[in-house]
Amino acid sequence: MASTNKVFKGTATWYEDADTYWKSVPSSVDGMLGGLQVVHTPDIRDSLLFLTKLQTNHTLRTNYACDCGAGIGRVSKHFLLRRFNTVDLVEQNGEFLREAAEYLQ
């Protein structure tokens, strides 16, 4: 039991710090990328190439995907929804999810 407490010590603070940080970030592609919007295009391109290789060399079902830490849905819109029938977004920041509903239209 002592080792378990040691592993999880500070976990609440870590989540609180993450929550505080993400609440200070704009609900935009630039905000999701920490001001590095320039990486958006190569990120999506290379992710699509990677998934194409997986689909070519392995059986990969494309019915569902889950975008964890989805933010405003940047990855869902430009990558996951191109290859999967249904994508669920999981995000701790409610403002980002509200923005995602618009962004994904």
Side-chain angles (χ1 to χ4, degrees):
M1 188 68 159
S3 63
T4 303
N5 289 338
K6 185 177 180 182
V7 171
F8 292 108
K9 183 179 180 181
T11 302
T13 302
W14 187 84
Y15 283 107
E16 290 168 4
D17 290 348
D19 185 50
T20 299
Y21 170 77
W22 286 109
K23 284 180 178 173
S24 73
V25 170
S27 300
S28 65
V29 171
D30 199 47
M32 300 299 98
L33 293 171
L36 297 171
Q37 190 169 353
V38 67
V39 303
H40 170 75
T41 299
D43 175 47
I44 298 302
R45 180 195 64 226
D46 292 346
S47 294
L48 287 166
L49 287 171
F50 176 72
L51 192 60
T52 298
K53 286 181 182 180
L54 283 178
Q55 289 174 313
T56 302
N57 298 323
H58 306 283
T59 301
L60 180 67
R61 294 183 181 163
T62 57
N63 294 334
Y64 301 101
C66 183
D67 188 351
C68 298
I72 63 168
R74 178 187 74 87
V75 171
S76 289
K77 180 176 184 172
H78 298 285
F79 169 53
L80 296 173
L81 286 167
R82 289 184 179 182
R83 298 296 176 94
F84 293 89
N85 300 332
T86 302
V87 177
D88 290 329
L89 279 69
V90 178
E91 174 56 54
Q92 73 168 0
N93 185 309
E95 182 59 35
F96 292 166
L97 286 177
R98 284 185 285 281
E99 182 65 30
E102 238 179 85
Y103 183 72
L104 291 170
Q105 293 300 319

